């Protein structure tokens, strides 16, 4: 019931707050500490290492989003450490619930075609992570080619992101897609219902974006689906003028120092 769910959620947050705290009265074995269960959804357990991995990935994503907005002359309200941890735990709980349903319906077995798709999707996802990391941490670097690629991969590894994690994430997405298709396989929708829903989405976006014009720009930057474009928005190209070599070197040093600080100040260990 609702009370039990509320109590479960509170317990999870209390456990997480204690387990993820950087303060400790006793010296812990890092491996044992990382393996501690933080979330348990009907036997589907999530350990501390996984929670920290998801938190740090979300933190990095928030930095990327802030950097994207900054380039457009916009700012976003960044989540606090506590809010980000809460959001990460909530996402892991939802994932665990879906994983349990997938196992119950025996949807986890993959065909040869699905395995091939999984391999391709995981490589694409990892390349996307690398591209995002370059934007946030290496946009003004002088590194090139193999050296740049190694530095980017190292930066991803520092927040526990690698090709294996990309495979896990791609598999989760693939299985959730199978679950969604299984749930809606017997659902039928008429053309009239589709149009009515579309018109509703258009009207909702129109109300929202006309009340706050910047909301449209934020939605586009977040790659959210939009159904109405307010007047006044235009796509433009940015013309960049290269700095002198000495100025560029000095700027790169300063940006590197800033990004190092930004990349570590909010992480959990």
């Amino acid at each position: 019931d609702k009370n039990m769910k509320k109590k479960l959620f509170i317990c999870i947050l209390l456990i997480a707050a204690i387990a993820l705290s950087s303060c400790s009265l006793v010296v812990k074995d890092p491996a044992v500490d990382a393996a501690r269960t933080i979330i348990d959804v009907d036997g589907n357990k999530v350990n501390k290492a996984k929670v920290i991995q998801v938190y740090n990935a979300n933190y990095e994503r928030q930095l990327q989003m802030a950097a994207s907005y900054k380039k457009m002359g916009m700012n976003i309200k960044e989540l606090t450490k506590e809010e980000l941890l809460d959001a990460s735990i909530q996402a892991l709980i939802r994932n665990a619930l879906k994983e349990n349903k997938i196992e119950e319906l025996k949807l986890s077995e993959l065909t040869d075609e699905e395995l091939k798709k999984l391999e391709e999707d995981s490589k694409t996802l990892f390349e996307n992570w690398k591209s995002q990391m370059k934007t946030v941490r290496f946009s003004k670097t002088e590194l090139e080619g193999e050296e740049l690629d190694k530095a980017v991969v190292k930066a991803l590894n520092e927040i526990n992101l690698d090709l294996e994690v990309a495979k896990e994430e791609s598999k989760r997405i693939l299985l959730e897609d199978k679950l969604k298709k299984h749930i809606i396989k017997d659902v039928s929708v008429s053309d009239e219902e589709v149009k009515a829903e579309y018109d509703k989405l258009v009207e909702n976006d129109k109300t929202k974006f006309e009340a706050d014009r910047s909301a449209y720009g934020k939605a586009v930057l977040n790659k959210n689906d939009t159904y109405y474009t307010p007047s006044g928005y235009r796509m433009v190209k940015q013309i960049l003028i290269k700095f002198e070599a000495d100025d560029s070197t000095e700027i790169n040093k300063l940006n590197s120092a800033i990004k190092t600080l930004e990349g570590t100040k909010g992480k959990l260990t």
Side-chain angles (χ1 to χ4, degrees):
D1 59 25
K2 291 184 178 179
N3 287 332
M4 283 298 294
K5 288 181 179 179
K6 185 176 181 181
K7 288 178 181 177
L8 171 63
F9 175 63
I10 292 172
C11 287
I12 289 170
L13 285 183
L14 286 173
I15 292 170
I18 295 169
L20 301 179
S21 173
S22 59
C23 299
S24 179
L25 298 177
V26 294
V27 177
K28 302 173 183 176
D29 182 312
V32 173
D33 186 47
R36 292 173 60 194
T37 297
I38 304 300
I39 302 169
D40 188 337
V41 181
D42 294 331
N44 190 344
K45 299 179 180 180
V46 181
N47 63 26
K48 178 180 176 181
K50 182 65 177 179
V51 174
I52 290 177
Q53 175 196 323
V54 172
Y55 171 88
N56 284 339
N58 286 337
Y59 176 76
E60 196 69 29
R61 193 172 295 114
Q62 181 169 262
L63 286 181
Q64 294 166 1
M65 195 177 298
S68 296
Y69 280 127
K70 192 173 181 181
K71 287 181 179 179
M72 300 288 289
M74 303 164 68
N75 294 312
I76 62 169
K77 179 184 178 299
E78 295 186 22
L79 297 178
T80 65
K81 181 177 179 179
E82 292 73 20
E83 290 171 334
L84 203 55
L85 176 58
D86 183 15
S88 300
I89 290 174
Q90 288 287 343
L92 285 165
I93 292 173
R94 289 194 296 271
N95 288 347
L97 287 168
K98 285 183 277 190
E99 286 169 4
N100 289 353
K101 195 64 179 177
I102 287 167
E103 288 301 320
E104 178 188 329
L105 296 171
K106 297 180 172 29
L107 299 175
S108 58
E109 291 295 324
L110 301 180
T111 64
D112 290 342
E113 185 177 345
E114 288 172 334
L115 287 171
K116 182 179 179 181
K117 184 178 186 304
L118 176 59
E119 193 69 23
E120 294 171 353
D121 289 350
S122 60
K123 290 178 181 178
T124 299
L125 178 59
F126 190 60
E127 288 302 316
N128 287 341
W129 287 348
K130 286 166 63 176
S131 177
Q132 291 166 5
M133 180 59 76
K134 285 179 184 177
T135 300
V136 174
R137 300 273 191 90
F138 300 90
S139 60
K140 301 185 184 299
T141 184
E142 294 182 347
L143 296 175
E144 295 180 350
E146 189 175 337
E147 285 189 357
L148 174 58
D149 193 66
K150 286 181 178 179
V152 170
V153 171
K154 182 181 178 182
L156 286 170
N157 292 162
E158 288 173 355
I159 56 171
N160 299 316
L161 292 180
D162 55 24
L163 187 55
E164 285 304 311
V165 175
K167 287 180 180 178
E168 290 176 13
E169 181 66 8
S170 297
K171 185 176 181 180
R172 180 188 66 77
I173 294 170
L174 190 154
L175 291 176
E176 286 185 7
D177 186 54
K178 288 180 69 175
L179 175 62
K180 180 181 177 181
K181 288 178 179 177
H182 177 85
I183 292 172
I184 66 173
K185 65 180 180 179
D186 296 322
V187 177
S188 59
V189 183
S190 67
D191 290 343
E192 291 75 15
E193 289 174 317
V194 171
K195 185 179 185 307
E197 181 63 21
Y198 177 77
D199 290 343
K200 179 182 175 182
L201 291 170
V202 170
E203 193 59 36
N204 288 343
D205 273 6
K206 182 178 180 181
T207 301
K208 179 169 61 177
F209 297 150
E210 288 189 346
D212 178 10
R213 293 300 180 96
S214 67
Y216 174 77
K218 292 175 181 177
V220 172
L221 284 173
N222 288 337
K223 298 182 179 179
N224 295 336
D225 293 329
T226 55
Y227 301 89
Y228 176 81
T229 303
S231 61
Y233 270 90
R234 301 288 186 275
M235 299 301 291
V236 298
K237 290 185 177 180
Q238 183 180 11
I239 300 175
L240 301 177
I241 300 175
K242 191 173 182 179
F243 287 113
E244 294 293 330
D246 291 343
D247 293 336
S248 181
T249 300
E250 197 61 32
I251 291 171
N252 286 340
K253 287 179 181 178
L254 292 172
N255 281 328
S256 179
I258 291 170
K259 291 183 185 301
T260 298
L261 291 173
E262 288 179 342
T264 59
K265 67 180 181 181
K267 291 181 182 176
L268 293 173
T269 57

